[in-house]
């Protein structure tokens, strides 16, 4: 059975809101989808950080990736985790491992996750 969690909401909450890196207004102005210029409204960002219901779509994923300065596949993995969930075997891919790292979780000990973790150490 796939495990689900509000990973996208958790990720945005780490950086946006009162006392965080960006206010909802600042983040809304920063998170602009390349190509289309679409940006989530201040109220949508507020819904996300409050954990209210909101629709996740490709525009939102792209804009959040720009706003959070994270790879799009990591934001897409967070959206996938939130909407669909992951089985344990799926959590060893690069994007889910990076996401779990960003959320402060330790992925299962697999050779792939260990290699990703070692690359983080090597980059520091």
């Amino acid at each position: 059975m796939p495990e689900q969690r509000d990973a996208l909401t958790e990720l945005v909450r780490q950086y946006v809101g009162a006392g965080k890196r960006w206010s909802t207004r600042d983040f809304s102005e920063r998170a602009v989808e390349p190509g289309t210029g679409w940006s989530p409204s201040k109220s949508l960002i507020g819904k996300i950080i409050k954990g209210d219901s909101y629709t996740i779509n490709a525009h939102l994923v792209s804009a959040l990736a720009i706003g959070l300065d994270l790879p799009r596949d990591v934001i897409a993995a967070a959206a996938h985790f939130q909407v669909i969930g992951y089985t344990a075997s799926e959590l060893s891919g690069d994007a889910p491992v990076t996401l779990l790292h960003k959320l402060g979780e330790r992925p299962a000990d697999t050779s792939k996750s260990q290699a990703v973790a070692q690359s983080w150490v090597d980059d520091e």
Side-chain angles (χ1 to χ4, degrees), residues 41-120:
S41 67
K42 179 183 165 204
S43 63
L44 175 55
I45 299 301
K47 281 183 171 184
I48 293 170
I49 62 175
K50 287 180 195 168
D52 291 346
S53 178
Y54 61 97
T55 301
I56 298 172
N57 59 40
H59 294 295
L60 181 61
V61 169
S62 295
L64 292 178
I66 294 298
L68 295 172
D69 196 27
L70 291 171
R72 189 182 187 285
D73 63 338
V74 172
I75 302 301
H80 187 272
F81 213 156
Q82 187 155 326
V83 175
I84 300 169
Y86 278 105
T87 61
S89 64
E90 293 173 318
L91 288 174
S92 64
D94 290 344
V97 168
T98 302
L99 169 64
L100 290 173
H101 175 72
K102 292 287 184 190
L103 294 175
E105 299 285 328
R106 292 184 57 111
D109 280 339
T110 65
S111 60
K112 191 166 190 169
S113 64
Q114 289 173 349
V116 170
Q118 185 59 48
S119 73
W120 295 331

